Amino acid sequence: MEPMTRERRFRDYAAFTKTIFDGRVQKLSIDGGFSCPNRDGTRGVGGCSFCNNRSFTPAYCREGGGIARQVEEGIRFFGAKYGGQRYLAYFQSYTGTHAPLSTLRERYGEALAHPRVAGLVVATRPDAVTDEALDYLGQLARERHVCLEFGVESTRDDVLAAVNRGHGVAESERAVRECARRGIFVGVHLILGLPGERREEMVEGAALVSRWPVHLVKLHQLQVVEGTRMADEYRRQPGKFALYSLEEYLELVVDIVERVRPDVFLERFVNQTPAGMLVAPRWGVKNFEFTAMLERRLEERDTWQGRFFNRAPSFSHTP
Ligand code: SF4
């Protein structure tokens, strides 16, 4: 199979939005005031061992306040550089579907009411979407852009259990399929490097989720973040963690890119926890810098997305 284009050897997020919108769109992080079922006791307590939610909440939506105000401030933040662009309200913090349907309608509706907001992206857990909420979002998706992003994180149940994730792979697959059958765009998020997961399992795991009806895949390196249980574990037993060097991670991502479905879109590859909150690994590389490195490495290896994609699963981690 030929690469997507000679210039870009994988399909990125900009390519995804071009299939839907005319002109530039920007995701705008909104703190919708949601909690997390893995913290408030609904599914568990203590949260995932790697999670410090503040590490991925941008400053412009940390101050609290209403959703409409956050939308205005976010547009002001980006507007100086990109005046005419439109926005996708991105409910990124905690679990963006963890509330009664009436609350979801109200909070999403407040963001969607802004004339520059073209749609909705909601980050959530696979076990935190009710059929009622999915039916509503499926209905909404007929008129507006709606995308759910699920934290799948790993395709090994024991690895998920060890980080207190509180759900397994079967729930992830089910949630993805329920969205797809309602016409909701769906993205999945994987963490590469969780303790106990071998390199080849991560490669196969990414290939496996790309066989589900997903539109977008996001990859992140495992980061040990201050204020998390994982940071305590890392300080006590650093040998338990096989954190990648930047070069090793780049090779891993190339191997994954070669094996994922050629028509999914790869939204991002690295996480950027603020330096003051990061324990390890300290690469100091931004997503766009990593993307440039990846393009160079794909070129050097003369390879491309989906080159070794195998539609038939070679194995599944689910029983
Ligand atoms: S990663 Fe998500 S599900 Fe896990 S504790 Fe953090 S907010 Fe909750």
Side-chain angles (χ1 to χ4, degrees), residues 188-223:
V188 289
H189 176 258
L190 293 168
I191 299 176
L192 303 176
L194 288 173
E197 188 157 23
R198 295 197 307 273
R199 188 185 194 281
E200 63 270 24
E201 291 171 329
M202 289 175 228
V203 174
E204 273 304 319
L208 176 74
V209 299
S210 83
R211 289 185 202 104
W212 300 347
V214 298
H215 302 86
L216 294 154
V217 175
K218 277 181 170 179
L219 305 173
H220 284 180
Q221 80 280 29
L222 176 68
Q223 294 193 302

Side-chain angles (χ1 to χ4, degrees), residues 77-306:
F77 178 84
F78 288 109
K81 203 165 166 200
Y82 301 106
Q85 71 182 356
R86 285 181 296 160
Y87 296 88
L88 299 175
Y90 181 25
F91 288 85
Q92 181 184 15
S93 300
Y94 295 99
T95 303
T97 55
H98 184 46
L101 182 59
S102 56
T103 308
L104 300 182
R105 281 178 184 274
E106 197 181 297
R107 294 183 189 174
Y108 302 158
E110 198 176 333
L112 288 168
H114 195 287
R116 300 277 295 281
V117 171
L120 204 60
V121 181
V122 181
T124 187
R125 292 166 53 90
D127 59 355
V129 279
T130 62
D131 286 347
E132 192 187 34
L134 286 174
D135 288 344
Y136 160 66
L137 288 166
Q139 200 65 37
L140 190 61
R142 293 180 190 176
E143 293 154 24
R144 308 294 292 263
H145 176 81
V146 179
C147 181
L148 285 191
E149 278 183 9
F150 292 109
V152 171
E153 317 308 8
S154 167
T155 52
R156 266 187 53 182
D157 284 342
D158 58 338
V159 167
L160 292 168
V163 294
N164 195 39
R165 183 68 192 164
H167 67 76
V169 185
E171 281 154 303
S172 296
E173 183 173 358
R174 181 189 171 275
V176 166
R177 294 192 186 283
E178 288 298 317
C179 282
R181 91 182 169 80
R182 288 170 171 87
I184 302 167
F185 286 107
V186 55
V188 289
H189 176 258
L190 293 168
I191 299 176
L192 303 176
L194 288 173
E197 188 157 23
R198 295 197 307 273
R199 188 185 194 281
E200 63 270 24
E201 291 171 329
M202 289 175 228
V203 174
E204 273 304 319
L208 176 74
V209 299
S210 83
R211 289 185 202 104
W212 300 347
V214 298
H215 302 86
L216 294 154
V217 175
K218 277 181 170 179
L219 305 173
H220 284 180
Q221 80 280 29
L222 176 68
Q223 294 193 302
V224 181
V225 177
E226 289 290 2
T228 63
R229 222 179 56 240
M230 189 170 273
D232 297 339
E233 288 167 9
Y234 179 74
R235 287 189 170 107
R236 271 200 316 274
Q237 288 182 287
K240 232 181 89 183
F241 293 79
L243 297 176
Y244 289 106
S245 68
L246 182 56
E247 294 69 29
E248 289 167 337
Y249 185 76
L250 180 61
E251 294 306 314
L252 171 62
V253 171
V254 172
D255 288 352
I256 287 175
V257 168
E258 288 180 323
R259 284 161 184 82
V260 295
R261 180 156 50 87
D263 61 339
V264 299
F265 294 88
L266 299 169
E267 184 171 349
R268 60 182 300 136
F269 304 97
V270 294
N271 207 1
Q272 293 164 227
T273 295
M277 299 180 73
L278 184 61
V279 178
R282 301 179 74 91
W283 298 343
V285 67
K286 295 190 166 61
N287 190 61
F288 78 89
E289 293 167 332
F290 185 88
T291 301
M293 291 169 65
L294 175 63
E295 282 171 347
R296 268 199 307 276
R297 194 66 191 124
L298 290 168
E299 191 79 33
E300 284 164 7
R301 284 176 53 171
D302 191 21
T303 194
W304 53 86
Q305 181 181 340

Side-chain angles (χ1 to χ4, degrees), residues 36 38-39 47-48 50-51 53 94-95 125 165:
C36 163
N38 201 22
R39 289 176 179 274
C48 308
F50 52 79
C51 172
N53 216 269
Y94 295 99
T95 303
R125 292 166 53 90
R165 183 68 192 164

